[in-house]
Amino acid sequence: MVLAKRKVVSALERKGFEKDVDGKHIVFTYRTLDGNLSRITTYVSHGNKPKDLDDHLIGRMARQTKLLKKNFERLASCPMGRNEYEKIIRKNL
Protein backbone atom coordinates (compact mmCIF):
# COMPACT_ATOMS: atom_id res chain seq x y z
CA MET A 1 0.00 0.00 0.00
CA VAL A 2 1.07 3.57 -0.66
CA LEU A 3 -0.17 6.61 1.27
CA ALA A 4 0.10 10.25 0.21
CA LYS A 5 2.51 12.03 2.55
CA ARG A 6 0.40 15.19 2.76
CA LYS A 7 -2.66 13.15 3.80
CA VAL A 8 -0.69 11.32 6.48
CA VAL A 9 0.68 14.62 7.82
CA SER A 10 -2.80 16.13 7.93
CA ALA A 11 -4.30 13.03 9.60
CA LEU A 12 -1.59 12.95 12.29
CA GLU A 13 -2.22 16.60 13.15
CA ARG A 14 -5.97 15.98 13.43
CA LYS A 15 -5.37 12.95 15.67
CA GLY A 16 -3.42 14.84 18.34
CA PHE A 17 0.15 14.76 17.04
CA GLU A 18 2.05 18.03 17.37
CA LYS A 19 4.27 18.98 14.45
CA ASP A 20 7.79 20.36 14.73
CA VAL A 21 10.42 20.80 12.02
CA ASP A 22 13.83 19.36 12.84
CA GLY A 23 16.29 19.84 9.98
CA LYS A 24 15.39 17.35 7.27
CA HIS A 25 12.39 15.91 9.09
CA ILE A 26 8.97 16.85 10.37
CA VAL A 27 8.68 15.40 13.86
CA PHE A 28 5.26 14.43 15.23
CA THR A 29 4.83 13.89 18.97
CA TYR A 30 1.54 12.63 20.34
CA ARG A 31 -0.29 14.71 22.95
CA THR A 32 -2.72 12.55 24.93
CA LEU A 33 -6.38 13.40 25.44
CA ASP A 34 -5.59 14.56 28.98
CA GLY A 35 -3.05 17.06 27.58
CA ASN A 36 0.22 15.33 28.41
CA LEU A 37 2.98 15.08 25.85
CA SER A 38 3.80 11.41 25.29
CA ARG A 39 7.00 9.71 24.15
CA ILE A 40 5.30 8.50 20.97
CA THR A 41 7.10 10.18 18.11
CA THR A 42 7.24 9.61 14.36
CA TYR A 43 8.98 11.35 11.48
CA VAL A 44 8.49 12.19 7.79
CA SER A 45 10.86 13.84 5.37
CA HIS A 46 10.60 17.63 5.26
CA GLY A 47 11.30 17.86 1.52
CA ASN A 48 8.89 17.47 -1.36
CA LYS A 49 10.18 14.02 -2.20
CA PRO A 50 8.92 11.43 -1.71
CA LYS A 51 5.32 12.54 -2.17
CA ASP A 52 4.08 9.09 -1.21
CA LEU A 53 4.99 6.81 1.67
CA ASP A 54 5.78 3.24 0.62
CA ASP A 55 5.23 0.04 2.62
CA HIS A 56 8.64 0.32 4.28
CA LEU A 57 8.03 3.85 5.59
CA ILE A 58 4.46 3.01 6.62
CA GLY A 59 5.81 0.06 8.61
CA ARG A 60 8.40 2.22 10.35
CA MET A 61 5.84 4.88 11.21
CA ALA A 62 3.47 2.19 12.50
CA ARG A 63 6.15 0.87 14.89
CA GLN A 64 7.01 4.40 16.02
CA THR A 65 3.34 5.15 16.79
CA LYS A 66 2.91 1.80 18.62
CA LEU A 67 0.47 0.41 16.05
CA LEU A 68 0.29 -2.54 13.72
CA LYS A 69 0.77 -1.55 10.10
CA LYS A 70 -2.91 -2.13 9.24
CA ASN A 71 -3.96 0.07 12.18
CA PHE A 72 -1.56 2.84 11.16
CA GLU A 73 -3.09 2.77 7.69
CA ARG A 74 -6.52 3.18 9.34
CA LEU A 75 -5.19 6.06 11.48
CA ALA A 76 -3.68 7.79 8.45
CA SER A 77 -6.71 7.32 6.19
CA CYS A 78 -9.08 8.44 8.97
CA PRO A 79 -11.37 5.50 9.82
CA MET A 80 -9.59 5.38 13.20
CA GLY A 81 -10.35 8.34 15.43
CA ARG A 82 -8.28 9.80 18.20
CA ASN A 83 -10.26 8.07 20.96
CA GLU A 84 -9.74 4.64 19.38
CA TYR A 85 -6.02 5.36 18.92
CA GLU A 86 -5.68 6.37 22.55
CA LYS A 87 -7.40 3.15 23.70
CA ILE A 88 -5.01 1.05 21.59
CA ILE A 89 -1.84 2.73 22.82
CA ARG A 90 -2.96 2.64 26.47
CA LYS A 91 -3.69 -1.08 26.12
CA ASN A 92 -0.33 -1.76 24.44
CA LEU A 93 1.83 0.22 26.88
Side-chain angles (χ1 to χ4, degrees):
M1 175 175 247
V2 175
L3 296 172
K5 181 170 73 172
R6 63 181 172 77
K7 288 186 178 184
V8 172
V9 167
S10 177
L12 289 174
E13 288 179 301
R14 285 193 313 272
K15 306 288 171 71
F17 284 83
E18 294 185 359
K19 182 169 113 173
D20 188 28
V21 177
D22 180 25
K24 295 181 181 180
H25 297 97
I26 301 172
V27 181
F28 292 94
T29 306
Y30 183 67
R31 185 168 295 275
T32 62
L33 288 171
D34 55 3
N36 296 322
L37 203 57
S38 72
R39 287 193 239 159
I40 297 174
T41 304
T42 190
Y43 309 85
V44 293
S45 174
H46 185 267
N48 292 331
K49 294 183 182 178
K51 291 186 178 190
D52 294 324
L53 304 177
D54 62 14
D55 272 344
H56 175 72
L57 290 175
I58 293 168
R60 289 182 75 180
M61 292 179 79
R63 283 189 300 280
Q64 292 167 350
T65 56
K66 312 296 185 218
L67 292 172
L68 298 173
K69 187 174 166 186
K70 65 180 181 176
N71 284 335
F72 181 79
E73 290 168 355
R74 289 183 58 236
L75 180 75
S77 60
C78 291
M80 180 188 294
R82 187 172 181 185
N83 289 331
E84 184 181 352
Y85 175 63
E86 184 112 1
K87 283 181 193 174
I88 290 171
I89 60 171
R90 286 185 184 271
K91 185 173 105 176
N92 292 337
L93 295 178

